[in-house]
Amino acid sequence: MTDDASRTTESPSVVPYLNLLVTMVMFGSAFASSKVVVGEMPHEVAAALRFGGGGLLLVVLAVLLRGRSHRIDRAVALRAGLVGLVGVLAYNAFFFWGLSLAPSLDGSIIVPVLSPILTTAALILMGRERASWERVTGLTVGVAGALVFFLGIAGEGAGSTRLVGDLVFVAGAGCWAAYSILSKSFLTGADPLQATAWGTGAGALGLLVLAVPAAGEVSWASVSGLAWANVLFLAVGPTAIAYLFYYRGLRSVSPSTATIMMFTVPVFGSVFSTVFLGESFTGVQLLGTVVMLGGALFAVVGRRPFRRRSAPEPAPVE
């Protein structure tokens, strides 16, 4: 009786963190897996395949779980779709474009670290968050780390493609920041799974439209089994499964705690890119990464990392 009771009391505090941890592993794996796919087909097609399949799975998931969630009306569904055009269509257009030009290792650092920095900076400029000394200091340190990171790329003498690709990743991080802000404005109170399904579906349709001109360039017969396996994995793992586990985790864990766990994505992403693709950092890039990550964490959570909030944040798209 005692053991059963202890399991019952411990489960709510442990399971949500495990759900979020699975989400972060999935998000981190998306960079290396996507890099494999863009190596064999245009980045527009790769993005459309991932989110075409992932969006379909999320819609099916939302239908199956509709009894456990609140239905959203047409106005909210429309707003979710418009937000999805920013967070899925625009973000992933830049994300996969960047992967076609730069190592996945760079994207796994730039996107998840710069996105919260840009979000926090924008909210301060808009007057929606207070410019406390913690936030200003963290933003300053984070930007300094980003500059060091880019100096490390420019100094390695590997040509301009990598630097251009990393700048495209920055644009993607900017799209994700805009998506986060728009979601907070337009989707507060909406069911997370239903809103995510509508937004992902709308964005996936946009990606399919962008992919049509490039689809004719693909020699489908020569696409390897490894590439198709990664397309399937991206649709199921980092998209459908990751969103489901994030949705489940946020039912019991505050969004601020989930944000902190998001900073593990660069760690998982770096491991996958290094182990499976053989990519590596320069010493200067590693220094910039540490400084940028520390500044971002301090800017976002300050000295009160586990303060609970009432409204959940939207699940991120990777």
Side-chain angles (χ1 to χ4, degrees), residues 78-91:
L78 178 59
R79 291 200 296 269
L82 293 175
V83 170
L85 294 179
V86 176
V88 177
L89 172 58
Y91 165 74

Side-chain angles (χ1 to χ4, degrees), residues 21 24-25 27-29 108 261 264-273:
L21 183 61
M24 303 314 157
V25 173
F27 285 161
S29 68
S108 69
M261 296 192 70
T264 64
V265 173
V267 178
F268 293 123
S270 298
V271 170
F272 284 112
S273 297

Side-chain angles (χ1 to χ4, degrees), residues 108-133:
S108 69
I109 298 298
I110 293 171
V111 175
V113 177
L114 274 187
S115 294
I117 290 178
L118 295 174
T119 302
T120 302
L123 290 174
I124 290 175
L125 291 175
M126 294 165 62
R128 293 170 58 179
E129 291 202 1
R130 187 170 60 90
S132 63
W133 73 267

Side-chain angles (χ1 to χ4, degrees), residues 169-220:
F169 282 136
V170 173
C175 288
W176 181 252
Y179 168 72
S180 300
I181 294 171
L182 291 172
S183 296
K184 291 177 182 179
S185 300
F186 296 155
L187 303 178
T188 300
D191 180 78
L193 180 58
Q194 297 288 331
T196 299
W198 279 98
T200 304
L205 288 176
L207 289 171
L208 288 171
V209 172
L210 286 181
V212 170
E217 303 174 11
V218 182
S219 176
W220 296 103

Side-chain angles (χ1 to χ4, degrees), residues 36-240:
V36 173
V37 178
V38 298
E40 299 197 28
M41 62 184 68
H43 59 87
E44 301 94 339
V45 177
L49 287 175
R50 173 188 172 179
F51 279 90
L56 178 61
L57 287 174
L58 280 170
V59 170
V60 172
L61 188 63
V63 172
L64 293 177
L65 297 179
R66 64 184 181 275
R68 300 183 183 181
S69 58
H70 300 289
R71 294 189 63 181
I72 58 178
D73 57 32
R74 291 184 178 180
V76 176
L78 178 59
R79 291 200 296 269
L82 293 175
V83 170
L85 294 179
V86 176
V88 177
L89 172 58
Y91 165 74
N92 282 284
F94 286 118
F95 172 73
F96 279 89
W97 183 16
L99 283 174
S100 69
L101 299 172
S104 64
L105 187 61
D106 291 5
S108 69
I109 298 298
I110 293 171
V111 175
V113 177
L114 274 187
S115 294
I117 290 178
L118 295 174
T119 302
T120 302
L123 290 174
I124 290 175
L125 291 175
M126 294 165 62
R128 293 170 58 179
E129 291 202 1
R130 187 170 60 90
S132 63
W133 73 267
E134 295 104 323
R135 292 185 183 278
V136 174
T137 301
L139 291 173
T140 303
V141 172
V143 171
L147 292 175
V148 173
F149 186 90
F150 286 116
L151 286 175
I153 298 170
E156 68 177 2
S160 61
T161 300
R162 183 173 187 176
L163 182 58
V164 171
D166 284 357
L167 292 176
V168 173
F169 282 136
V170 173
C175 288
W176 181 252
Y179 168 72
S180 300
I181 294 171
L182 291 172
S183 296
K184 291 177 182 179
S185 300
F186 296 155
L187 303 178
T188 300
D191 180 78
L193 180 58
Q194 297 288 331
T196 299
W198 279 98
T200 304
L205 288 176
L207 289 171
L208 288 171
V209 172
L210 286 181
V212 170
E217 303 174 11
V218 182
S219 176
W220 296 103
S222 63
V223 176
S224 69
L226 178 62
W228 284 118
N230 276 275
V231 168
L232 179 62
F233 169 74
L234 287 168
V236 176
T239 306

